[in-house]
């Protein structure tokens, strides 16, 4: 169904996904139209294609899948259109043009612009601007209309046009699969539909090669940096519906063109995307560059004794060796579980470096991890993104992340905390920024969940056995009194946790249904936990869960907890967005890296709010359609209402999102869910997030299942093999 109309009002537009709600004036009355739009303004004449629907709240609407701009049909509208779009041409001059040429105005401007020379107020530059604008607009909307016929949205079609310009249709007809090279977010299935519509053979080289790259992209979404060749052949063959011979030939072509790389590991061939392969190569080269340097052999006994006395710390032999090794080697890894003294070692190393007048940088992969290391050491710490000055990058675009220019780090020593969270691409960029002379100390718990991005870098480096690695195993006296820490280590060793009923910081509440689990959580946050602990439930307590969906996932839990901890009140303003209520006082989390987002601290402005940052809605301004979130009790960040998809409620967060953070009090529901998620290192990671108290609510069977479930889907990477091969 097609309708025409003029944009009367743009009611709402989401800047992230371009979803637009607008009021359209038609010959007979008005209609609300909803869909994705690009570069629309009030007054634009449109032809929309879609269907009439009835929204349960907003009533009758026209939901369009595509649209095109129409040139203004009346003299008054055309005069307005020219005046608004051509710099230096006002309504008076535009009226002279329309009066003289009438219905032929647009054709005259496009095809015989020399006829405009006699019009007062126009010069050669303005005539050229008119001609260029009308031709570009006509061409752009013709291209968009052509692409829309393949069910490509106007927004995506416009992005394609912005990239390819006047050659768009020609390129699409010659090789529709090349669109993926120009517009990274295009899905292969969308492009394949174009290819099939244009009669491209299923076994064409273009289709097969693009499909293989799509297949390897799908595989690496699960954290792998490569895939076994046999598995890739089968997977790609199923997707493309062609034989294995065609897939093998395609892989060979892509390798010859350096789009894919092959590495033999344990007599099996593995296929890599170019960026992952070269990133691992660079990491391996940097590892070996530092590994080949012999330890300095300096005796730091005196400095270690001095720092121990100054801080009234009794260091163990294990800790002293870790400090000495770190100061003597070009690259050191310090790994250990909670309570094994990692932070104490960092503090002592920093003290000695300052005493030696050596420059150092303290950093971590996330904002919360950087904040935590700053709190524990008292020293300034930066996120790796801020340290490397990474800005304006799509984190999901691996190729862009590999090619990224980074700011060189000019310092003597770099200390990286929470190193297990660093993925392949970020580690590559860190090494790109370092001088060969810079000492690197990586600190992390290798038994926690691997990085969100692809790779298992810390574990791979340790497994190569070429780097000085310090394993901290001793639990120190104060930590040994914590049942959380003791039982986290038990879980890591494959033993079931032991629960006490008193004199403990680890509690277990057994439930027999989802409903009883939810009831226990509700009563705990309502009043019970406050009866035996002094805390601000909203700020000191965090609910962690393995998943987003199901009744015990973050989506449902956040709705439940919001009703308990921050219910609707006449004193609190709120805003509904995408079916969620955002209310003053709500706990929220930033869910994407926004490198350009400004925040204020005491009147000074800075850039950058990052994925995983947690804050609270300070105020909501419904008149000006914005709200303010306070992060870290000092960063005030303004969000326009159409930016609210960057935030989600954080009363409950996934265990994955909690990495690098610690919370005083944690409630962990473990009753039911997607069992492949329920692994030993997920339970271990969740337990190690709690500092003062952990309450597990759920099923003994699930807890024991998690302890027994060593993650079967280990990440497939080539880094360890590359390091070993380069070492010879």
């Amino acid at each position: 169904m097609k309708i025409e109309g003029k944009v009367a009002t743009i009611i709402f537009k989401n800047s992230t996904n371009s979803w637009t709600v607008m009021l359209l004036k038609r010959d007979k009355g008005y209609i609300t139209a909803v869909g994705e739009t690009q570069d629309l303004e009030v007054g634009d004449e449109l032809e929309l294609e879609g269907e009439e629907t009835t929204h349960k709240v907003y009533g009758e609407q026209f939901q369009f899948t595509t649209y095109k701009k129409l040139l203004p049909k009346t003299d008054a509208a055309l005069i307005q259109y020219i005046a608004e779009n051509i710099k230096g041409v006002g309504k008076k001059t535009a009226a002279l043009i329309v009066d003289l040429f009438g219905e032929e105005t647009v054709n005259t401007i496009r095809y015989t612009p020399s006829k405009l020379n006699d019009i007062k107020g126009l010069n050669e530059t303005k005539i050229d601007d008119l001609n260029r604008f009308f031709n570009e607009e006509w061409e752009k909307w013709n291209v968009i209309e052509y692409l829309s016929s393949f069910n490509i949205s106007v927004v995506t079609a416009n992005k394609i046009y912005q990239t390819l310009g006047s050659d768009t249709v020609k390129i699409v007809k010659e090789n529709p699969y090349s669109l993926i090279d120009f517009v990274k977010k295009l899905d292969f299935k969308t492009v394949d539909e174009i290819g099939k519509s244009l009669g491209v053979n299923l076994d064409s080289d273009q289709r097969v090669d693009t499909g293989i790259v799509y297949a390897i992209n799908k595989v690496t979404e699960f954290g792998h940096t490569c895939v076994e060749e046999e598995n890739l052949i089968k997977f790609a063959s199923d997707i493309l519906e062609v034989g294995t011979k065609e897939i093998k030939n395609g892989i060979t072509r892509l390798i010859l063109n350096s789009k894919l790389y092959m590495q033999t590991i344990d007599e099996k061939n593995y296929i890599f995307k170019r960026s992952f392969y070269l990133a691992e190569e660079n990491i391996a080269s940097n590892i070996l560059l530092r590994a080949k340097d012999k330890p300095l052999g300096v005796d730091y006994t005196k400095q270690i004794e001095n720092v121990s006395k100054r801080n009234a710390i009794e260091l163990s032999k294990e800790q002293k060796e870790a400090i000495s090794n770190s100061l003597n080697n070009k690259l050191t890894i310090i790994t250990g579980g909670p309570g094994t003294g990692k932070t104490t070692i960092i503090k002592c190393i920093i003290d000695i470096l300052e005493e030696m007048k050596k420059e150092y940088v303290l950093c971590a992969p996330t904002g919360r991890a950087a904040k935590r290391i700053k709190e524990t050491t008292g020293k300034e710490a930066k996120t790796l993104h801020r340290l490397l000055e990474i800005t304006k990058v799509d984190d999901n675009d691996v190729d862009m992340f590999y090619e990224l220019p980074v700011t060189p780090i000019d310092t003597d020593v770099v200390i990286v905390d929470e190193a297990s969270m660093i993925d392949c691409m970020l580690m590559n960029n860190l090494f790109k920024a370092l001088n060969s002379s810079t000492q690197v100390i990586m600190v992390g718990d290798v038994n926690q969940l691997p990085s969100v991005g692809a790779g298992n870098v810390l574990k791979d480096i340790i497994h190569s056995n070429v780097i000085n690695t310090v394993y901290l195993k001793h639990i120190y006296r104060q930590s040994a009194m914590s049942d959380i820490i003791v039982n986290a280590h038990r879980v890591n060793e494959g033993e079931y946790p032991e629960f006490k009923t008193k004199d403990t910081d680890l509690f277990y509440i057994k439930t027999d249904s989802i409903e009883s689990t939810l009831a226990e959580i509700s009563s705990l946050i309502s009043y019970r936990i406050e009866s035996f602990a002094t805390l601000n439930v909203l700020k000191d307590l965090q609910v962690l869960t393995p998943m987003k969906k199901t009744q015990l996932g973050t989506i449902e839990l956040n709705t439940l907890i919001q009703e308990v901890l921050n219910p609707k009140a006449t004193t609190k303003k709120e805003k509904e967005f995408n079916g969620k209520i955002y209310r003053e006082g709500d706990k929220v989390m930033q869910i994407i890296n926004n490198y350009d987002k400004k925040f204020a601290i005491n009147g000074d402005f800075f850039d950058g709010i990052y994925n995983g940052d947690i804050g609270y809605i300070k105020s909501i301004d419904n008149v000006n359609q914005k709200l303010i979130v306070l992060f870290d009790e000092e960063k005030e960040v303004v969000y326009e209402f159409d930016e609210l998809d960057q935030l989600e409620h954080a009363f409950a967060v996934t265990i994955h999102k909690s990495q690098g953070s610690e919370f005083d009090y944690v409630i962990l529901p473990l009753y039911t869910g997607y069992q492949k998620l329920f692994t030993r290192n997920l339970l271990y990671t969740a337990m190690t997030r709690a500092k003062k108290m952990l309450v597990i609510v759920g099923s003994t069977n699930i807890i024991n299942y998690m302890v027994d479930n060593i993650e079967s889907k280990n990440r497939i990477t080539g880094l360890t093999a590359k390091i070993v091969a380069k070492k010879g």
Side-chain angles (χ1 to χ4, degrees):
M1 179 181 180
K2 291 182 180 180
I3 65 169
E4 290 186 11
K6 180 191 284 188
V7 179
T9 307
I10 296 175
I11 300 167
F12 169 80
K13 182 165 183 180
N14 185 317
S15 61
T16 304
N17 61 19
S18 302
W19 183 260
T20 305
V21 180
M22 58 186 171
L23 194 63
L24 208 67
K25 184 179 181 183
R26 304 176 68 192
D27 291 339
K28 296 178 181 179
Y30 292 83
I31 189 170
T32 301
V34 295
E36 291 183 17
T37 66
Q38 186 80 25
D39 300 330
L40 272 193
E41 293 180 359
V42 172
D44 284 344
E45 298 270 0
L46 305 178
E47 179 187 274
L48 302 96
E49 186 169 348
E51 60 181 16
E52 290 182 343
T53 61
T54 302
H55 190 278
K56 62 182 180 181
V57 177
Y58 302 111
E60 289 186 5
Q61 297 180 338
F62 187 81
Q63 188 158 353
F64 57 92
T65 53
T66 187
Y67 69 93
K68 65 179 179 180
K69 278 189 183 180
L70 302 173
L71 288 175
K73 295 180 178 179
T74 65
D75 288 353
L78 187 55
I79 291 166
Q80 182 80 13
Y81 186 69
I82 292 170
E84 286 181 352
N85 288 287
I86 310 301
K87 189 177 179 182
V89 178
K91 284 187 178 181
K92 195 173 182 181
T93 305
L96 291 174
I97 299 170
V98 175
D99 287 346
L100 182 60
F101 298 108
E103 291 182 358
E104 287 299 306
T105 297
V106 174
N107 286 336
T108 302
I109 293 171
R110 288 192 60 213
Y111 302 120
T112 54
S114 58
K115 290 183 178 180
L116 300 173
N117 285 323
D118 296 332
I119 291 181
K120 188 179 178 182
L122 291 181
N123 55 31
E124 192 174 331
T125 300
K126 292 176 184 177
I127 292 171
D128 284 346
D129 288 346
L130 274 162
N131 174 256
R132 189 183 309 109
F133 174 76
F134 272 84
N135 278 323
E136 285 180 355
E137 279 289 285
W138 179 86
E139 181 182 78
K140 180 174 86 170
W141 287 98
N142 267 349
V143 168
I144 289 173
E145 186 175 13
Y146 173 75
L147 293 173
S148 295
S149 68
F150 300 111
N151 294 318
I152 291 177
S153 73
V154 173
V155 175
T156 303
N158 187 60
K159 286 177 183 174
I160 294 170
Y161 177 79
Q162 296 297 335
T163 305
L164 302 179
S166 59
D167 292 330
T168 301
V169 175
K170 180 177 174 229
I171 289 170
V172 170
K173 287 180 176 178
E174 286 177 353
N175 179 12
Y177 296 95
S178 66
L179 285 175
I180 287 179
D181 294 331
F182 300 111
V183 184
K184 297 289 185 184
K185 288 188 177 179
L186 264 184
D187 185 78
F188 171 77
K189 291 178 181 177
T190 301
V191 175
D192 200 30
E193 286 303 314
I194 300 174
K196 289 174 180 176
S197 299
L198 294 173
V200 176
N201 292 330
L202 290 182
D203 61 354
S204 77
D205 290 356
Q206 298 163 345
R207 180 176 183 270
V208 169
D209 292 0
T210 308
I212 291 168
V213 173
Y214 167 76
I216 201 167
N217 283 340
K218 295 302 288 182
V219 171
T220 52
E221 284 178 3
F222 297 98
H224 310 301
T225 60
C226 60
V227 58
E228 192 178 337
E229 184 182 25
E230 283 187 16
N231 292 338
L232 178 61
I233 290 169
K234 185 179 184 307
F235 185 42
S237 178
D238 290 344
I239 290 172
L240 294 168
E241 300 174 328
V242 298
T244 57
K245 180 184 175 183
E246 284 78 13
I247 303 299
K248 287 178 181 177
N249 290 339
I251 290 172
T252 301
R253 281 192 301 271
L254 290 163
I255 290 173
L256 288 172
N257 290 322
S258 298
K259 291 187 175 180
L260 296 182
Y261 282 76
M262 181 184 286
Q263 180 182 350
T264 303
I265 306 171
D266 296 331
E267 300 182 354
K268 290 181 180 178
N269 291 332
Y270 289 84
I271 307 299
F272 293 76
K273 284 186 67 177
R274 173 180 176 272
S275 297
F276 282 134
Y277 183 88
L278 295 178
E280 286 190 350
E281 279 280 299
N282 183 50
I283 295 168
S285 296
N286 273 277
I287 294 294
L288 287 164
L289 180 70
R290 287 168 168 79
K292 73 178 184 181
D293 287 357
K294 291 182 179 178
L296 297 174
V298 176
D299 185 356
Y300 286 101
T301 304
K302 189 174 180 182
Q303 289 94 326
I304 292 171
E305 285 178 1
N306 289 341
V307 77
S308 179
K309 287 177 184 175
R310 266 200 310 274
N311 294 288
I313 301 170
E314 187 176 335
L315 296 170
S316 68
K317 182 182 177 183
E318 183 183 62
Q319 289 175 311
K320 289 175 182 176
E321 286 177 359
I323 296 165
S324 180
N325 284 350
S326 300
L327 295 168
N328 270 306
N329 285 276
K330 271 291 181 64
L331 175 57
T332 301
I333 293 174
I334 300 171
T335 184
T340 56
K342 296 190 297 293
T343 303
T344 299
I345 290 168
I346 293 174
K347 287 160 79 172
C348 291
I349 290 171
I350 289 170
D351 275 3
I352 293 170
L353 290 173
E354 289 180 348
E355 189 180 297
M356 295 167 64
K357 304 271 192 288
K358 281 200 171 188
E359 293 184 0
Y360 66 90
V361 168
L362 195 57
C363 58
T366 66
R368 290 189 65 78
K371 182 189 176 193
R372 192 160 63 85
I373 194 67
K374 180 180 178 181
E375 289 170 348
T376 54
T377 64
K379 305 296 180 181
E380 185 63 36
K382 293 183 177 180
T383 64
L384 282 168
H385 284 82
R386 192 175 290 282
L387 179 64
L388 299 171
E389 296 186 13
I390 295 173
T391 59
K392 295 182 181 177
V393 62
D394 179 354
D395 294 332
N396 296 316
D397 189 338
V398 173
D399 297 323
M400 182 190 291
F401 220 101
Y402 172 74
E403 303 287 354
L404 204 66
V406 293
T407 301
I409 302 169
D410 186 18
T411 190
D412 297 316
V413 182
V414 171
I415 302 170
V416 189
D417 195 26
E418 296 288 356
S420 64
M421 296 177 66
I422 304 176
D423 63 31
C424 178
M425 285 298 148
L426 190 54
M427 188 67 82
N428 171 58
N429 282 315
L430 173 61
F431 277 122
K432 272 171 29 184
L434 294 176
N435 295 324
S436 58
S437 60
T438 302
Q439 283 181 269
V440 180
I441 302 168
M442 294 186 191
V443 184
D445 185 348
V446 78
N447 292 306
Q448 283 192 35
L449 292 168
S451 55
V452 175
N456 206 352
V457 181
L458 189 68
K459 186 174 280 189
D460 285 351
I461 297 172
I462 291 172
H463 284 177
S464 71
N465 291 319
V466 303
I467 289 302
N468 171 51
T469 302
V470 179
Y471 297 90
L472 302 174
K473 295 181 179 177
H474 179 69
I475 304 174
Y476 290 92
R477 189 162 59 90
Q478 187 173 352
S479 297
M481 297 169 66
S482 165
D483 289 320
I484 296 172
I485 290 175
V486 170
N487 278 283
H489 284 272
R490 286 180 61 84
V491 166
N492 192 43
E493 295 296 324
E495 298 176 24
Y496 301 145
E498 294 178 345
F499 300 107
K500 300 177 184 175
T501 55
K502 60 181 181 178
D503 298 326
T504 183
D505 56 3
L506 173 61
F507 297 89
Y508 171 53
I509 301 173
K510 186 177 181 180
T511 56
D512 56 12
S513 67
I514 292 173
E515 290 72 23
S516 63
T517 305
L518 290 169
E520 290 288 354
I521 293 169
S522 182
S523 66
L524 280 167
I525 61 177
S526 298
Y527 64 91
R528 279 170 58 194
I529 207 161
E530 287 181 296
S531 65
F532 49 89
T534 303
L535 77 158
N536 178 328
V537 175
L538 192 60
K539 296 195 173 181
D540 300 329
L541 173 74
Q542 185 62 58
V543 176
L544 300 181
T545 179
M547 59 241 155
K548 295 187 76 169
K549 296 180 180 177
T550 77
Q551 285 176 276
L552 294 174
T554 56
I555 297 170
E556 296 288 340
L557 283 173
N558 273 311
T559 301
L560 167 74
I561 300 169
Q562 183 191 43
E563 289 175 4
V564 175
L565 295 184
N566 194 34
K568 186 179 182 70
T570 54
T571 55
K572 297 174 186 174
K573 296 190 182 108
E574 56 185 48
K575 164 67 182 174
E576 182 183 357
F577 181 84
N578 282 351
K580 298 176 186 174
I581 300 294
Y582 291 84
R583 186 173 294 138
E584 287 177 343
D586 275 354
K587 188 177 187 178
V588 291
M589 175 186 282
Q590 175 79 14
I591 59 170
I592 62 167
N593 287 329
N594 188 332
Y595 305 99
D596 300 323
K597 193 70 179 166
K598 295 195 179 299
F599 61 85
I601 299 178
N602 299 325
D604 293 325
F605 283 90
F606 305 88
D607 291 331
I609 296 296
Y610 300 105
N611 189 352
D613 287 351
I614 290 177
Y616 299 85
I617 297 177
K618 183 179 179 181
S619 61
I620 295 177
D621 183 346
N622 284 306
V623 175
N624 294 303
Q625 298 197 332
K626 60 187 179 182
L627 57 77
I628 295 174
V629 178
L630 185 65
F631 292 97
D632 298 333
E633 298 182 356
E634 60 177 2
K635 300 177 185 175
E636 289 196 355
V637 184
V638 177
Y639 289 84
E640 305 293 333
F641 281 172
D642 62 7
E643 296 177 306
L644 289 182
D645 53 358
Q646 295 182 33
L647 295 173
E648 62 182 33
H649 287 100
F651 300 107
V653 301
T654 63
I655 297 165
H656 278 86
K657 283 282 189 185
S658 74
Q659 279 183 275
S661 304
E662 282 187 344
F663 311 97
D664 284 346
Y665 300 85
V666 169
I667 295 174
L668 176 62
L670 296 174
Y671 185 79
T672 187
Y674 185 53
Q675 291 208 342
K676 286 189 178 179
L677 280 176
F678 285 58
T679 60
R680 182 186 297 176
N681 65 351
L682 189 79
L683 176 58
Y684 173 75
T685 300
M687 293 177 73
T688 56
R689 300 308 89 207
K691 286 196 292 185
K692 293 182 179 178
M693 183 185 295
L694 170 64
V695 184
I696 300 177
V697 184
S699 160
T700 307
N701 289 338
I702 290 289
I703 296 168
N704 293 347
Y705 173 85
M706 293 180 81
V707 174
D708 293 335
N709 185 19
I710 301 170
E711 191 171 4
S712 56
K713 288 192 175 180
N714 289 321
R715 292 192 170 185
I716 304 168
T717 68
L719 181 57
T720 299
K722 286 183 176 73
I723 297 170
V724 172
K726 285 178 181 293
K727 183 187 177 188

